[in-house]
Amino acid sequence: MKHFSNEDINKLEQRYRALLVNSLSGFKSANLIGTVDSAGQENLSIVSSVFHLGACPPLVGVIFRPHSVSRHTLENILETKTYTINQVNAQIYTAAHQTSARYDKTESEFEHTGLTAEYLNGFSAPFVGESRLKYALELRDHQRIKLNDTELVIGEITALHVDEIALQPDGYVDIEALESVAISSLDGYHTTKRLNRLEYAKAHQPTRIKKLG
Amino acid sequence: MKHFSNEDINKLEQRYRALLVNSLSGFKSANLIGTVDSAGQENLSIVSSVFHLGACPPLVGVIFRPHSVSRHTLENILETKTYTINQVNAQIYTAAHQTSARYDKTESEFEHTGLTAEYLNGFSAPFVGESRLKYALELRDHQRIKLNDTELVIGEITALHVDEIALQPDGYVDIEALESVAISSLDGYHTTKRLNRLEYAKAHQPTRIKKLG
């Protein structure tokens, strides 16, 4: 095993350190956030920092770096209080990655990447037409994380659109069947192969594999 | 596409809703958190809520539900200010899942799952011997998320141990080579297959695949 001390990590060249430290949390979700500003300018941004926060109410968190390429997305969310999250699948991962380029605020990443802005059920922020699992959110809270000046944005899911083929009878969504991708470090994209679903674990009883219909 | 309104989601049966909403953020990381209380009682808990927060300083966040089965882990972190995070791989995912059973505080999940408590370089919290990427953390901040009474715990990485075969020349860790697993919803475990690494995206230039080795 290779060992790095805290001092070793802090002394690393910036890009090396970013790739290394971004590998440590494990696989990350791959999502596109769709927003529009009050003047109607659309914005689309890939993020690997979306995480589950709670099921009741249905809450999702996202971490933003204020001066990063996703700053327009953060500004639009704070301005309009609405946004969409769209899972990235294997068919669109290169287009999704391209949204991380530094476009001007007056440029729409939809236009530059070929992804389709889709408006559903009167919700003001654009969805990604090519995504097979996507949802509308309303901003509920945001707070500065003082340790490194990042912003935690928390939204409540107000509408969900999911390809029915992936929805299992017990509520589990087979996101592997949607070819949703996982991200490693800053730039690795992966599809998945299910090992198993496991039964709810009980103390002093062996782990059991879930038998699926 | 199947559509759920916010009201539809809130009316769902509790377990169905938990499986559904936990599917929406995308693939999650799979990690074991190792702790010990001030009396020396070891604890080990699988979490899918570890996320990257920043590279400089190297910070990682974890979301805890105070009354969940991982409450002993949270208590130990607040008490000792130290913990380890250990990536779960395909060889140990069933043992890792079993740590989510409701054991008493006086029972060690290491003992009940057969995973090995390993002490490295004098760090007080136990690592998982079978994990191939693991790190020591010191608590830097914790805050209550009032919307749903969860706790955000932020730690700084103070030592890293990683299997050298996975460390690439540019700092990227090939966690797929370590057979690190990804989680879907509450109970799905997956290995991965890399599509590609992609070059840093630049506006008005096509997305390029990173040529490796």
Side-chain angles (χ1 to χ4, degrees), chain B residues 9-147:
Chain B
I9 294 171
N10 286 325
K11 275 195 213 155
L12 294 169
E13 181 272 321
Q14 184 187 343
R15 185 74 185 165
Y16 186 106
R17 184 178 58 225
L19 283 162
L20 178 71
V21 179
N22 271 279
S23 304
L24 304 185
S25 54
F27 286 105
K28 307 177 194 183
S29 56
N31 288 288
L32 285 159
I33 300 189
T35 56
V36 67
D37 70 13
S38 52
Q41 175 65 50
E42 292 168 346
N43 190 276
L44 187 66
S45 183
I46 190 168
V47 293
S48 63
S49 61
V50 168
F51 59 93
H52 172 82
L53 195 55
C56 188
L59 297 176
V60 168
V62 191
I63 301 291
F64 286 98
R65 231 160 279 287
H67 305 294
S68 75
V69 291
S70 58
R71 68 199 181 285
H72 300 146
T73 298
L74 176 60
E75 289 165 13
N76 289 351
I77 291 173
L78 298 180
E79 186 177 312
T80 65
K81 321 289 188 209
T82 57
Y83 52 113
T84 69
I85 294 182
N86 307 264
Q87 283 193 8
V88 174
N89 57 54
Q91 280 70 49
I92 59 170
Y93 82 99
T94 54
H97 182 77
Q98 184 62 25
T99 66
S100 65
R102 202 170 273 273
Y103 291 102
D104 290 338
K105 191 164 192 310
T106 56
E107 296 180 290
S108 166
E109 287 84 1
F110 283 106
E111 192 179 315
H112 285 287
T113 62
L115 293 167
T116 309
E118 175 185 56
Y119 289 87
L120 296 174
N121 291 57
F123 191 68
S124 58
F127 292 88
V128 175
E130 292 81 0
S131 175
R132 299 167 72 186
L133 189 168
K134 47 200 165 192
Y135 41 103
L137 297 109
E138 289 180 12
L139 179 66
R140 287 288 179 260
D141 193 19
H142 70 107
Q143 52 196 74
R144 178 69 55 90
I145 292 173
K146 294 192 189 76
L147 281 167

Side-chain angles (χ1 to χ4, degrees), chain A residues 168-207:
Chain A
Q168 301 298 303
D170 62 355
Y172 175 91
V173 184
D174 185 356
I175 61 174
E176 181 166 289
L178 301 178
E179 293 190 85
S180 291
V181 300
I183 291 177
S184 62
S185 188
L186 288 175
D187 57 20
Y189 291 85
H190 309 253
T191 51
T192 61
K193 185 171 184 323
R194 183 176 296 100
L195 291 161
N196 275 302
R197 289 183 66 191
L198 298 180
E199 292 281 1
Y200 191 86
K202 293 179 180 170
H204 313 295
Q205 293 184 24
T207 310

Side-chain angles (χ1 to χ4, degrees), chain A residues 6 143 157 172 184 195 197, chain B residues 6 143 157 172 184 187 189:
Chain A
N6 181 273
Q143 51 197 76
I157 297 169
Y172 175 91
S184 62
L195 291 161
R197 289 183 66 191
Chain B
N6 181 272
Q143 52 196 74
I157 298 169
Y172 175 92
S184 61
D187 57 21
Y189 291 86

Side-chain angles (χ1 to χ4, degrees), chain A residues 131-148:
Chain A
S131 175
R132 299 167 71 184
L133 189 168
K134 47 201 166 191
Y135 40 102
L137 297 108
E138 288 179 13
L139 179 67
R140 287 288 178 262
D141 192 19
H142 70 107
Q143 51 197 76
R144 177 70 54 92
I145 292 173
K146 293 193 189 77
L147 281 167
N148 65 352

